[in-house]
Coordinates of all heavy atoms in Angstrom, one line a residue:
Y284 N -20.9 -6.9 12.5 CA -20.2 -5.6 12.4 C -20.9 -4.7 11.4 O -20.6 -4.8 10.2 CB -18.7 -5.7 12.1 CG -18.0 -6.5 13.1 CD1 -17.5 -7.8 12.8 CD2 -17.8 -6.1 14.4 CE1 -16.8 -8.6 13.7 CE2 -17.1 -6.9 15.4 CZ -16.6 -8.1 15.0 OH -16.0 -8.9 15.9
V285 N -21.9 -3.9 11.8 CA -22.7 -3.1 10.8 C -22.3 -1.6 10.9 O -22.3 -1.0 11.9 CB -24.2 -3.3 11.1 CG1 -25.0 -2.4 10.2 CG2 -24.6 -4.7 10.9
W286 N -22.0 -1.1 9.7 CA -21.6 0.4 9.5 C -22.7 1.0 8.7 O -22.8 0.8 7.5 CB -20.3 0.5 8.8 CG -19.8 1.9 8.7 CD1 -20.4 2.9 8.0 CD2 -18.5 2.4 9.1 NE1 -19.5 4.0 8.1 CE2 -18.4 3.7 8.7 CE3 -17.4 1.8 9.8 CZ2 -17.3 4.5 9.0 CZ3 -16.3 2.6 10.1 CH2 -16.2 3.9 9.7
L287 N -23.6 1.7 9.4 CA -24.7 2.4 8.7 C -24.2 3.6 7.9 O -23.4 4.3 8.4 CB -25.8 2.9 9.7 CG -26.4 1.8 10.6 CD1 -27.3 2.4 11.7 CD2 -27.2 0.8 9.8
T288 N -24.7 3.8 6.7 CA -24.3 4.9 5.9 C -25.5 5.7 5.4 O -26.7 5.2 5.5 CB -23.5 4.5 4.7 OG1 -24.3 3.7 3.8 CG2 -22.3 3.6 5.1
G289 N -25.3 6.9 5.0 CA -26.3 7.8 4.5 C -26.5 9.0 5.5 O -25.6 9.2 6.3
Y290 N -27.5 9.8 5.3 CA -27.8 11.0 6.1 C -29.1 10.9 6.8 O -30.0 11.7 6.6 CB -27.8 12.2 5.2 CG -26.4 12.6 4.7 CD1 -25.9 12.1 3.5 CD2 -25.6 13.5 5.3 CE1 -24.7 12.4 3.0 CE2 -24.4 13.9 4.8 CZ -23.9 13.3 3.6 OH -22.7 13.7 3.2
P291 N -29.4 9.8 7.6 CA -30.7 9.6 8.2 C -31.0 10.7 9.2 O -30.1 11.1 10.0 CB -30.6 8.2 8.8 CG -29.1 8.1 9.1 CD -28.4 8.8 8.0
C292 N -32.2 11.2 9.2 CA -32.6 12.2 10.2 C -34.0 12.1 10.6 O -34.5 12.7 11.6 CB -32.4 13.6 9.6 SG -32.6 14.9 10.8
S293 N -34.8 11.2 9.9 CA -36.2 11.1 10.1 C -36.7 10.7 11.5 O -36.1 9.7 12.1 CB -36.8 10.1 9.1 OG -38.1 9.9 9.4
W294 N -37.7 11.4 12.0 CA -38.3 11.0 13.3 C -38.8 9.6 13.3 O -39.0 8.9 14.3 CB -39.4 12.0 13.7 CG -40.5 12.0 12.7 CD1 -40.7 12.9 11.7 CD2 -41.7 11.2 12.8 NE1 -41.9 12.6 11.0 CE2 -42.5 11.6 11.7 CE3 -42.2 10.2 13.6 CZ2 -43.8 11.0 11.4 CZ3 -43.4 9.6 13.3 CH2 -44.2 10.0 12.2
T295 N -39.1 9.0 12.1 CA -39.7 7.7 12.0 C -38.7 6.6 12.5 O -39.1 5.5 12.8 CB -40.1 7.3 10.6 OG1 -38.9 7.5 9.7 CG2 -41.2 8.3 10.1
F296 N -37.4 6.9 12.6 CA -36.4 6.0 13.2 C -36.5 5.9 14.7 O -36.3 4.9 15.3 CB -35.0 6.4 12.8 CG -34.7 6.2 11.3 CD1 -34.4 7.3 10.5 CD2 -34.6 4.9 10.7 CE1 -34.1 7.2 9.2 CE2 -34.3 4.8 9.4 CZ -34.0 5.9 8.6
Y297 N -36.7 7.1 15.3 CA -36.4 7.2 16.8 C -37.5 7.8 17.6 O -37.3 7.9 18.8 CB -35.1 8.0 17.0 CG -35.0 9.3 16.2 CD1 -35.8 10.4 16.7 CD2 -34.3 9.5 15.0 CE1 -35.8 11.6 16.0 CE2 -34.4 10.7 14.3 CZ -35.1 11.7 14.8 OH -35.1 12.9 14.1
H298 N -38.6 8.2 17.0 CA -39.5 9.0 17.8 C -40.2 8.1 18.9 O -40.6 8.7 19.9 CB -40.6 9.6 16.9 CG -41.5 10.6 17.5 ND1 -40.9 11.7 18.2 CD2 -42.8 10.8 17.7 CE1 -41.9 12.5 18.7 NE2 -43.1 11.9 18.4
H299 N -40.2 6.8 18.7 CA -40.8 5.9 19.8 C -39.9 5.9 21.0 O -40.3 5.5 22.1 CB -40.9 4.5 19.3 CG -39.7 3.9 18.8 ND1 -39.0 4.3 17.7 CD2 -38.9 2.9 19.4 CE1 -37.9 3.5 17.6 NE2 -37.8 2.7 18.6
L300 N -38.6 6.5 20.9 CA -37.7 6.6 22.0 C -37.5 8.1 22.4 O -36.4 8.4 22.8 CB -36.4 6.0 21.6 CG -36.4 4.5 21.3 CD1 -35.0 4.1 20.8 CD2 -36.7 3.6 22.5
R301 N -38.5 8.9 22.1 CA -38.3 10.3 22.2 C -37.6 10.8 23.5 O -36.6 11.5 23.5 CB -39.6 11.1 22.1 CG -39.5 12.6 22.3 CD -40.8 13.3 21.9 NE -40.8 14.7 22.3 CZ -40.2 15.7 21.6 NH1 -39.5 15.4 20.5 NH2 -40.2 16.9 22.1
Q302 N -38.0 10.2 24.7 CA -37.5 10.6 25.9 C -36.0 10.3 26.0 O -35.2 11.1 26.5 CB -38.2 10.1 27.1 CG -39.6 10.7 27.3 CD -39.6 12.2 27.3 OE1 -38.7 12.9 27.9 NE2 -40.5 12.8 26.6
E303 N -35.6 9.1 25.5 CA -34.2 8.7 25.5 C -33.4 9.6 24.6 O -32.3 10.0 25.0 CB -34.1 7.2 25.1 CG -34.6 6.3 26.2 CD -34.5 4.8 25.7 OE1 -33.4 4.4 25.2 OE2 -35.5 4.1 25.8
I304 N -33.9 9.9 23.5 CA -33.2 10.8 22.5 C -33.0 12.2 23.1 O -31.9 12.8 23.0 CB -33.9 10.8 21.2 CG1 -34.0 9.4 20.5 CG2 -33.3 11.8 20.2 CD1 -32.7 8.8 20.2
L305 N -34.1 12.7 23.7 CA -33.9 14.0 24.4 C -32.9 14.0 25.5 O -32.2 14.9 25.7 CB -35.3 14.5 24.9 CG -36.4 14.8 23.9 CD1 -37.7 15.2 24.5 CD2 -35.9 15.9 22.9
Q306 N -32.8 12.8 26.2 CA -31.8 12.7 27.2 C -30.4 12.7 26.6 O -29.5 13.3 27.2 CB -32.1 11.3 28.0 CG -31.3 11.1 29.2 CD -31.5 12.2 30.3 OE1 -32.6 12.7 30.5 NE2 -30.4 12.7 30.9
E307 N -30.2 11.9 25.5 CA -28.9 11.9 24.9 C -28.5 13.3 24.4 O -27.3 13.7 24.5 CB -29.0 11.0 23.6 CG -29.1 9.5 23.9 CD -27.9 9.0 24.7 OE1 -26.7 9.2 24.2 OE2 -28.1 8.3 25.7
F308 N -29.5 14.1 24.0 CA -29.2 15.4 23.5 C -29.5 16.5 24.5 O -29.8 17.6 24.2 CB -30.0 15.7 22.2 CG -29.5 14.9 21.0 CD1 -30.4 14.4 20.1 CD2 -28.1 14.6 20.9 CE1 -30.0 13.6 19.0 CE2 -27.7 13.8 19.8 CZ -28.6 13.3 18.9
S309 N -29.4 16.1 25.8 CA -29.5 17.2 26.8 C -28.2 17.9 26.9 O -27.1 17.3 26.8 CB -29.9 16.6 28.2 OG -29.0 15.6 28.6
F310 N -28.3 19.2 27.1 CA -27.1 20.1 27.1 C -26.3 20.0 28.3 O -26.9 19.8 29.4 CB -27.5 21.5 26.8 CG -28.1 21.8 25.5 CD1 -29.5 21.7 25.2 CD2 -27.3 22.1 24.4 CE1 -30.0 21.9 24.0 CE2 -27.8 22.4 23.1 CZ -29.2 22.3 22.9
H311 N -25.0 20.2 28.2 CA -24.2 20.4 29.4 C -24.7 21.7 30.1 O -25.2 22.6 29.5 CB -22.7 20.6 29.0 CG -22.1 19.3 28.4 ND1 -22.0 18.1 29.1 CD2 -21.6 19.1 27.2 CE1 -21.5 17.2 28.3 NE2 -21.2 17.8 27.2
D312 N -24.5 21.7 31.4 CA -25.0 22.8 32.3 C -24.5 24.2 31.8 O -25.3 25.1 31.7 CB -24.6 22.6 33.7 CG -25.4 21.5 34.4 OD1 -26.4 21.1 33.8 OD2 -25.0 21.0 35.5
H313 N -23.2 24.3 31.4 CA -22.7 25.6 31.0 C -23.3 26.1 29.7 O -23.6 27.3 29.6 CB -21.2 25.6 30.9 CG -20.6 24.8 29.8 ND1 -20.5 23.5 29.8 CD2 -20.2 25.2 28.5 CE1 -20.0 23.0 28.6 NE2 -19.8 24.1 27.8
V314 N -23.7 25.2 28.8 CA -24.3 25.6 27.6 C -25.8 26.0 27.9 O -26.2 27.1 27.4 CB -24.4 24.4 26.6 CG1 -25.1 24.7 25.3 CG2 -23.0 23.8 26.3
K315 N -26.4 25.3 28.7 CA -27.8 25.6 29.1 C -27.9 26.9 29.8 O -28.7 27.8 29.5 CB -28.3 24.5 30.1 CG -29.8 24.4 30.3 CD -30.1 23.3 31.3 CE -29.5 22.0 31.1 NZ -29.9 21.0 32.1
E316 N -26.9 27.2 30.7 CA -26.9 28.4 31.5 C -26.7 29.6 30.6 O -27.4 30.6 30.8 CB -25.9 28.3 32.6 CG -26.3 27.6 33.8 CD -25.1 27.0 34.7 OE1 -24.0 27.6 34.6 OE2 -25.3 26.1 35.4
E317 N -25.8 29.5 29.7 CA -25.5 30.6 28.8 C -26.7 30.9 27.9 O -27.0 32.1 27.8 CB -24.3 30.2 27.9 CG -23.8 31.4 27.0 CD -22.8 31.1 26.0 OE1 -22.1 30.1 26.1 OE2 -22.7 31.8 25.0
A318 N -27.4 29.9 27.4 CA -28.6 30.2 26.6 C -29.7 30.8 27.4 O -30.3 31.8 26.9 CB -29.0 28.8 25.9
N319 N -29.9 30.3 28.6 CA -31.0 30.8 29.4 C -30.7 32.2 29.9 O -31.6 33.1 29.9 CB -31.3 29.9 30.6 CG -32.1 28.6 30.2 OD1 -32.9 28.7 29.2 ND2 -31.9 27.5 30.8
Q320 N -29.5 32.5 30.1 CA -29.0 33.8 30.6 C -29.3 34.8 29.4 O -29.8 35.9 29.7 CB -27.6 33.8 30.9 CG -27.1 34.9 31.9 CD -25.7 34.7 32.3 OE1 -25.1 33.6 32.2 NE2 -25.1 35.7 32.8
Y321 N -28.9 34.4 28.2 CA -29.1 35.3 27.1 C -30.6 35.6 26.9 O -31.0 36.8 26.7 CB -28.5 34.7 25.8 CG -28.7 35.6 24.6 CD1 -27.8 36.6 24.3 CD2 -29.8 35.4 23.8 CE1 -28.0 37.5 23.2 CE2 -30.1 36.3 22.7 CZ -29.2 37.3 22.4 OH -29.4 38.1 21.4
L322 N -31.4 34.6 26.9 CA -32.8 34.7 26.7 C -33.5 35.6 27.8 O -34.3 36.5 27.5 CB -33.5 33.4 26.6 CG -33.2 32.5 25.4 CD1 -33.8 31.1 25.6 CD2 -33.6 33.1 24.1

């Protein structure tokens, strides 16, 4: 049972999984549509 602490943000942790991370942080459709419509 491991509880990670700190404020990690570095690409060195996760960049080898870039596509998976981008998938995790893909926006919901309504968010995407609102941003694209504004632009």
Side-chain angles (χ1 to χ4, degrees):
Y284 302 110
V285 174
W286 183 302
L287 302 173
T288 66
Y290 289 87
C292 187
S293 170
W294 61 268
T295 58
F296 291 115
Y297 50 76
H298 194 53
H299 61 291
L300 300 173
R301 178 171 169 80
Q302 287 314 314
E303 289 178 48
I304 298 301
L305 292 178
Q306 189 59 43
E307 290 296 309
F308 293 142
S309 56
F310 292 92
H311 294 300
D312 287 345
H313 69 278
V314 179
K315 199 186 303 181
E316 280 158 21
E317 188 189 334
N319 283 330
Q320 201 173 344
Y321 179 86
L322 293 174

